[in-house]
């Protein structure tokens, strides 16, 4: 708040003197950094402040959400959200149910992500489909087990039906993403060990 008041005062003074304040950019950058490092939970905010005071870097784990944090870098880093950390499974469980958060994290870790956009109305879905090109996948932003997902959508008519289906399962927007041909495998890990791999095939009738 103090920085905001000082910035407003500088701008007001510049209007009176008809000059350009020289330090505006620095103040704006400082305020932006303070906003980015703000967590809604007081306990986590205290951890952030104490960590930064020790010259240890802190980052939002997912840029679009400000209550998942990475403290430190590399093998010594820790993930914290509210009263949970990477010592339990809550953070991973919450992230994997939100497809946008998951993709943001995958890309940040240096792995290839998917091309997608979140829309809330059918007109937006049509615009994105035309932008990225058919075939596409239509899915709820939040959910699991393929509920509400329609893949290999190739026409606007099918897109409208797929959008209606996904909308029944999502209050957080609908994802429109590029469809890629390939084999779908699901790997299950427990305690950091790969336990089994399953090949997932669409429902079909043979014979």
């Amino acid at each position: 708040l103090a920085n905001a008041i000082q910035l407003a005062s500088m701008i007001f003074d510049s209007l009176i003197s008809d000059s350009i304040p020289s330090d505006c950019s620095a103040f704006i950058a400082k305020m932006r950094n303070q906003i980015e490092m703000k967590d809604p939970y007081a306990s986590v905010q205290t951890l952030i402040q104490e960590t930064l005071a020790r010259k240890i870097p802190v980052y939002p784990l997912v840029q679009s959400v400000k209550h998942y944090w990475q403290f430190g870098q590399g093998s010594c880093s820790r993930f914290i959200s509210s009263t949970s950390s990477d010592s339990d499974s809550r953070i991973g469980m919450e992230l994997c149910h939100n497809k946008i958060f998951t993709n943001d994290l995958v890309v940040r870790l240096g792995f290839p992500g998917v091309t997608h956009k979140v829309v809330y109305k059918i007109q937006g879905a049509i615009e994105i489909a035309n932008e990225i090109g058919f075939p596409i996948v239509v899915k709820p932003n939040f959910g699991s087990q393929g509920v509400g997902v329609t893949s290999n959508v190739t026409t606007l008519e099918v897109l409208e039906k797929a959008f209606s289906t996904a909308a029944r399962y999502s209050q957080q927007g609908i994802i429109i993403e590029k469809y890629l041909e390939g084999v779908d495998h699901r790997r299950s890990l427990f305690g950091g060990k790969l336990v089994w791999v399953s090949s997932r095939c669409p429902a079909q009738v043979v014979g």
Side-chain angles (χ1 to χ4, degrees), residues 66-86:
K66 300 306 182 193
H67 57 264
Y68 299 107
W69 299 95
Q70 176 180 332
F71 290 71
Q73 295 176 321
S75 61
C76 294
S77 63
R78 301 299 303 269
F79 301 143
I80 294 176
S81 174
S82 183
T83 56
S84 295
S85 72
D86 50 73

Side-chain angles (χ1 to χ4, degrees), residues 28-196:
I28 292 173
K30 185 176 182 179
M31 291 172 61
R32 181 181 292 115
N33 182 66
Q34 289 176 336
I35 293 171
E36 289 178 350
M37 301 307 294
K38 189 71 175 177
D39 188 276
Y41 298 100
S43 58
V44 179
Q45 190 62 44
T46 301
L47 284 175
I48 292 174
Q49 293 171 353
E50 290 300 318
T51 303
L52 292 174
R54 289 166 170 75
K55 308 299 182 182
I56 300 172
V58 180
Y59 313 93
L61 186 59
V62 179
Q63 290 297 328
S64 51
V65 182
K66 300 306 182 193
H67 57 264
Y68 299 107
W69 299 95
Q70 176 180 332
F71 290 71
Q73 295 176 321
S75 61
C76 294
S77 63
R78 301 299 303 269
F79 301 143
I80 294 176
S81 174
S82 183
T83 56
S84 295
S85 72
D86 50 73
S87 297
D88 57 56
S89 57
R90 173 178 165 265
I91 296 177
M93 183 275 293
E94 289 186 352
L95 286 174
C96 74
H97 278 79
N98 190 302
K99 301 174 180 67
I100 296 297
F101 297 170
T102 300
N103 190 62
D104 287 349
L105 181 58
V106 167
V107 171
R108 184 182 166 195
L109 292 174
F111 297 101
V114 297
T115 301
H116 63 196
K117 296 284 181 66
V118 179
V119 298
Y120 297 89
K121 297 182 178 180
I122 183 60
Q123 187 57 43
I126 293 173
E127 292 175 1
I128 297 304
N130 289 327
E131 177 184 325
I132 66 178
F134 289 100
I136 60 172
V137 179
V138 181
K139 61 176 69 174
N141 180 24
F142 192 90
S144 61
Q145 299 182 341
V147 175
V149 177
T150 305
S151 62
N152 198 17
V153 175
T154 57
T155 66
L156 292 177
E157 180 181 3
V158 177
L159 170 58
E160 292 182 3
K161 295 179 181 178
F163 186 91
S164 297
T165 298
R168 293 201 297 268
Y169 300 97
S170 178
Q171 302 298 320
Q172 302 180 29
I174 308 301
I175 294 176
I176 309 297
E177 68 183 27
K178 188 67 177 175
Y179 173 78
L180 299 176
E181 292 279 357
V183 180
D184 182 10
H185 291 101
R186 170 167 289 185
R187 291 175 290 183
S188 298
L189 295 93
F190 296 92
K193 295 182 179 180
L194 179 64
V195 178
W196 68 74

Side-chain angles (χ1 to χ4, degrees), residues 1-13 23 27 30:
L1 180 60
N3 287 328
I5 293 174
Q6 188 170 354
L7 177 61
S9 176
M10 291 172 59
I11 295 174
F12 184 75
D13 291 341
D23 296 333
F27 269 91
K30 185 176 182 179

